[in-house]
Amino acid sequence: MKLYKRKPGDTAPLGQPDPYMIRAKDGRYYIYATGPAGPQLYSSDHLMDGWEYEGVCLDMTGQKNCWAPCVLELDGTYYMYYSSMDADSNDEHGQTMRVAISDSPHGPFRKVKDLLPPFSIDPHTVLTPSGLYFFYCQNVTDAERVGTVIVCDKMKDPLTLEGKPVCVVRPTMDEEIYQRDRFKKGEHWHTIEGAFYFCVGETHFLMYSGACHQNPTYFIGYSVAHGAPDADLRTLDWKKYPDDHTYAPLISRNDFVEGMGHNSVLYDNGKYYIVYHGRDITDETPAEDTRCARIDELKVDGDKLSVQVTR
C-alpha cells in the first residue's frame, strides 16, 4: 500500500526511494528516503496514513546526492548513516559512507564523520545484545560473479567501525544481474544491496534487494541464519532462502507495481511491517523517479517470510 498521498500544489518529490522507517520515542513515525538535494523526511502520528512531508533533514553543505539514509536512536541522540558524493564530484562511484547526528528525529542532522571511502552505500546499523553492527555494500571484482555485495562489520561506538568486515550476502544467480557487459564484454555486473537485519528468537533474517530497479527480475529476497540472539552477526552461517540458486523473491513485480525493493522492517503493535519502494505501472514515462514508499504486513513463520502486496 502506498504511504504518502500527494496533495494539490505539493512540493514533495514524486517518489521516496529507499524508505527507512522508525518509530521514535515521541511515538511518531518517521520515514527517511533518498533525495538528490538531501535525505527526504516524512512523519505521521499513524502508521498507515496522515503522512506529512517535512523537507530535507540534513545539512548538505559540501555534499550532493544523498542515498539510502538509515537512522538509529541511542541515548537520546539520533544517528543518520548514509552515503553521498562531494559537491564537486561527478563520479557516481564517489559515493562515500558518512554519519550525521541530531538531538531530534526531525533533524536537522549535521555530518560529523566519513565512515568509509567510496564506493560504499546502503547502510543499516542495528543494536543487538552483542553490540552495534553495521551492514553496507561495496563492489567486488575478484569473484566468479562480479558486482555489489553486502558486508557486515561491528562498531566500537556509533561513530567508529571495528574494521573487520565480512561478506554476508553475494550474488549467486543470473536474476541478480544488474547490467550485462557493464564494464567488460562478457562480464556481467551483479548487485545485492539494501540490507536490513532483524531477529525473531534465534532466527536471524537479513533482507536485501537484487538486480537493478529498472530490471524485470528486481526483487526483495532474504538470507537466514540460526544462533543465539547475542551472536556475532559476522560469524553466523547465512543462507539465502530457499537456497543460493533458486529465484524465489519475497516481493517482485506484479500486475500493478514494479521496481519493488530496498526495504526496512518495523515491529509495531505485535505485527511486522515491511516498508519498501515501488513504481505504479502506467503507460506514462515519468520525468523523475517515482519509486514511492509502500507498506504491507510481513508474516514470519519459522524461516519463511511472506508478504501480500496491496494497492
Side-chain angles (χ1 to χ4, degrees):
M1 181 182 78
K2 193 182 297 184
L3 274 174
Y4 181 69
K5 310 298 192 295
R6 289 180 61 83
K7 309 171 186 67
D10 203 333
T11 60
L14 290 179
Q16 303 88 38
D18 313 323
Y20 193 95
M21 183 186 286
I22 66 169
R23 189 175 188 182
K25 286 187 173 180
D26 61 8
R28 194 167 174 85
Y29 300 89
Y30 296 86
I31 291 176
Y32 305 87
T34 286
Q40 306 178 47
L41 174 61
Y42 301 79
S43 67
S44 176
D45 286 328
H46 308 283
L47 181 61
M48 297 295 191
D49 56 36
W51 287 90
E52 301 174 0
Y53 176 57
E54 296 194 18
V56 170
C57 60
L58 169 68
D59 179 357
M60 289 290 288
T61 301
Q63 307 170 72
K64 65 180 180 181
N65 292 350
C66 172
W67 288 2
C70 153
V71 173
L72 178 69
E73 183 271 330
L74 292 169
D75 298 324
T77 298
Y78 290 83
Y79 296 85
M80 175 181 284
Y81 303 89
Y82 66 99
S83 65
S84 66
M85 295 164 55
D86 292 338
D88 59 358
S89 173
N90 293 315
D91 179 11
E92 189 173 277
H93 286 88
Q95 283 282 338
T96 301
M97 190 66 67
R98 290 162 169 151
V99 59
I101 61 172
S102 173
D103 59 4
S104 166
H106 297 270
F109 289 84
R110 59 179 180 84
K111 188 192 89 168
V112 292
K113 189 176 182 181
D114 290 354
L115 281 181
L116 292 164
F119 174 74
S120 48
I121 61 169
D122 291 5
H124 175 48
T125 311
V126 60
L127 178 63
T128 79
S130 63
L132 276 172
Y133 292 86
F134 190 72
F135 294 91
Y136 63 96
C137 295
Q138 62 183 24
N139 292 340
V140 173
T141 57
D142 60 350
E144 179 180 351
R145 291 182 180 266
V146 299
T148 306
V149 304
I150 295 173
V151 299
C152 177
D153 201 355
K154 195 170 184 180
M155 304 190 80
K156 297 178 180 179
D157 58 59
L159 301 178
T160 311
L161 292 169
E162 193 172 274
K164 299 177 182 178
V166 173
C167 182
V168 287
V169 189
R170 64 176 68 248
T172 55
M173 62 186 83
D174 287 350
E175 287 84 359
E176 295 162 346
I177 292 174
Y178 179 97
Q179 183 179 341
R180 293 181 179 273
D181 306 317
R182 187 181 187 192
F183 298 117
K184 181 179 178 182
K185 185 69 175 176
E187 187 176 79
H188 310 319
W189 190 264
H190 302 68
T191 293
I192 297 290
E193 61 185 8
F196 189 93
Y197 165 88
F198 71 105
C199 183
V200 181
E202 294 192 350
T203 303
H204 302 258
F205 295 96
L206 182 55
M207 307 183 76
Y208 58 86
S209 299
C212 170
H213 70 87
Q214 296 173 321
N215 294 357
T217 62
Y218 184 62
F219 71 103
I220 294 175
Y222 61 98
S223 290
V224 179
H226 299 97
D230 62 353
D232 185 325
L233 303 187
R234 297 170 297 180
T235 66
L236 294 176
D237 186 19
W238 292 102
K239 300 291 186 184
K240 287 182 177 177
Y241 187 89
D243 59 65
D244 281 354
H245 304 291
T246 301
Y247 177 63
L250 175 66
I251 296 180
S252 62
R253 178 188 171 110
N254 60 28
D255 292 337
F256 56 90
V257 63
E258 64 182 0
M260 294 184 284
H262 202 119
N263 72 282
S264 55
V265 172
L266 185 73
Y267 185 71
D268 191 64
N269 292 323
K271 294 182 178 180
Y272 290 94
Y273 294 91
I274 182 170
V275 180
Y276 59 98
H277 61 223
R279 290 185 301 271
D280 290 339
I281 296 177
T282 68
D283 294 330
E284 301 178 359
T285 302
E288 63 178 276
D289 195 339
T290 57
R291 288 175 291 165
C292 295
R294 304 177 64 91
I295 188 169
D296 285 295
E297 187 177 349
L298 176 68
K299 300 282 191 179
V300 181
D301 182 10
D303 288 0
K304 186 176 182 181
L305 303 179
S306 61
V307 177
Q308 180 63 50
V309 175
T310 60
R311 289 182 181 272

